[in-house]
Amino acid sequence: MTILVTGAAGNVGRHAVEELLREGHRVRALTRDPARARLPRGAEVAVGDLAVPDGLAPALEGVTALHLITFDGGDGAALRTGPRIARLAAEGGVRQVTMLWSGEPGPVEKAVAAEGLPWTALQPQEFMSNALNWVDSVRTEGVVREPFGGTLSNMIHEADIGAVAARTLTEDGHTGREYVLTGPEVLDMPQKAAILGRALGRDIRFVELTEQQARERMRQAGASQEAIDHVVGWYADPPKEAYTVTDTVERLLGRPARTFAQWAQENAEAFR
Ligand SMILES: NC(=O)c1ccc[n+]([C@@H]2O[C@H](COP(=O)([O-])OP(=O)(O)OC[C@H]3O[C@@H](n4cnc5c(N)ncnc54)[C@H](OP(=O)(O)O)[C@@H]3O)[C@@H](O)[C@H]2O)c1
C-alpha cells in the first residue's frame, strides 16, 4: 500500500509525510520542484503538477490512499482540475482520499465526491504557521502588526493537521466525515504576541493596523484582489468555526491538540 501526499513540502503535507513514515507506511511525496522541496527522508519523491493532471499517472501508480490539497500554488486559486485528478485516482485504485480545504469547500471536493471516491474533508481553521509572517518585524522591532486585534482565533498547529490526515488515511471509519480542526484555545492578537514574547524571552508588542493598511500590505506582497477580500473578510467577520474550539483533534489522535505556546517554543529560532 502506497500513500501519495500532495503539498508534501508544505506546512501540512510535510507533517503528514513524517507521521505516515513514523507509522511505517510507504509514502510517496508529490512536488513540482524536487530540488527546492527538501522532502522528509524516507519518502519516495514524485514530480508532478496538480494543475497539469495528465502528467500525474506515474505518481498515482499503485496508490491506495491520497492526501489532496485543493488549491493551485501557481495562482493561489482553487484547483480547476479536480475532475481529472479524481478520475485518475479512481482508475489508479485509490480507496481513500483526504482533502485539505482552502477555507471553503470548492470544486475539488465536489469532483472527488462525484467520482464516487471515499473521502474525508479536513477543515482546519487558522494555521499557527501564519505567525511566521511576523518574523521580520519581530526580529527587527519586537513588533507584531495585524488588523482586527480583537478577533479571536482557534489557531491550530500544522503538525496536528498532518497527524489527523495520516490517521484518517490509514484507519477505517472516517469516510464521508467533515472534520473541523482547531487548536485547544482561542486567542486574540495581543495574547498571541505575548505568548510569542514569552517563548523568545523578550517583550513583543502588538500594533493594530487599519483595514486599509492591511489591504495595502497584502497588495504589495502580490496577493490577488480575491485573496485580499477573502482574508480581510475572514478576520473582520470570522465565521463561528474560526473562534469555536472543537475536540476533534483530541478525539482522533487520543491526545490534546498542541498549544500556540508549544508552537512558539518549537519555532523560536526563526524569530531570533
Ligand atoms: N494558512 C492558513 O491559515 C490556512 C487555513 C485553512 C486552510 N488553509 C489552506 O491550506 C492549504 C495549504 O496552505 P499553505 O499556505 O500552508 O501552503 P503550503 O502548505 O505552504 O503550500 C504549498 C504546498 O502545495 C504544493 N502545491 C501548490 N500548488 C501545487 C500544484 N499545482 N501542484 C502540486 N503541488 C502544489 C506545493 O508544492 P511544491 O511547491 O513543492 O510543488 C507545497 O508543498 C491551502 O489550500 C490553504 O488555503 C490555510
Side-chain angles (χ1 to χ4, degrees):
M1 159 166 163
T2 298
I3 301 170
L4 178 65
V5 176
T6 68
N11 289 314
V12 171
R14 176 176 303 281
H15 289 289
V17 170
E18 284 170 355
E19 185 71 17
L20 288 164
L21 288 172
R22 248 194 310 276
E23 291 171 358
H25 298 285
R26 201 151 135 190
V27 185
R28 195 173 292 159
L30 187 81
T31 177
R32 292 163 299 173
D33 184 356
R36 200 178 38 87
R38 292 194 291 133
L39 294 161
R41 197 192 298 262
E44 183 191 332
V45 177
V47 181
D49 187 335
L50 293 165
V52 190
D54 284 341
L56 292 174
L60 281 162
E61 200 179 317
V63 167
T64 50
L66 168 66
H67 175 68
L68 192 55
I69 58 170
T70 57
F71 84 116
D72 176 15
D75 62 5
L79 275 168
R80 288 173 284 273
T81 47
R84 185 73 188 126
I85 296 169
R87 174 60 54 86
L88 284 169
E91 287 171 358
V94 168
R95 297 193 293 272
Q96 176 61 28
V97 183
T98 53
M99 297 178 289
L100 177 65
W101 82 337
S102 296
E104 52 192 28
V108 174
E109 284 90 337
K110 282 201 188 89
V112 167
E115 191 59 46
L117 285 162
W119 55 265
T120 306
L122 306 183
Q123 301 180 347
Q125 306 301 302
E126 186 188 7
F127 295 1
M128 289 179 184
S129 57
N130 290 353
L132 291 171
N133 291 332
W134 309 330
V135 160
D136 286 346
S137 65
V138 166
R139 273 189 193 158
T140 56
E141 304 167 80
V143 161
V144 167
R145 285 193 187 84
E146 291 290 352
F148 310 111
T151 295
L152 292 171
S153 165
N154 54 18
M155 62 197 326
I156 177 166
H157 195 307
E158 46 284 356
D160 284 346
I161 311 171
V164 166
R167 183 58 56 94
T168 56
L169 282 169
T170 55
E171 197 178 74
D172 289 337
H174 304 291
T175 299
R177 307 296 300 272
E178 292 181 358
Y179 290 129
V180 177
L181 304 175
T182 78
E185 62 196 337
V186 289
L187 300 169
D188 65 16
M189 285 302 314
Q191 288 171 320
K192 293 180 201 175
I195 289 169
L196 185 58
R198 279 197 289 281
L200 299 179
R202 60 187 281 221
D203 271 350
I204 303 296
R205 254 178 341 111
F206 172 66
V207 175
E208 182 153 330
L209 296 179
T210 64
E211 178 176 332
Q212 228 23 60
Q213 287 170 325
R215 284 179 175 273
E216 187 50 35
R217 187 173 67 170
M218 290 178 71
R219 220 182 330 270
Q220 280 178 14
S224 66
Q225 190 58 45
E226 188 189 347
I228 294 172
D229 288 344
H230 177 76
V231 172
V232 170
W234 179 282
Y235 288 102
D237 184 19
K240 191 161 167 268
E241 290 77 18
Y243 54 83
T244 306
V245 169
T246 69
D247 65 354
T248 314
V249 168
E250 183 158 7
R251 269 194 299 114
L252 293 177
L253 301 182
R255 58 152 177 84
R258 293 167 170 88
T259 61
F260 186 56
Q262 280 173 278
W263 185 95
Q265 288 288 350
E266 291 167 21
N267 291 276
E269 258 340 284
F271 293 87
R272 290 197 171 110

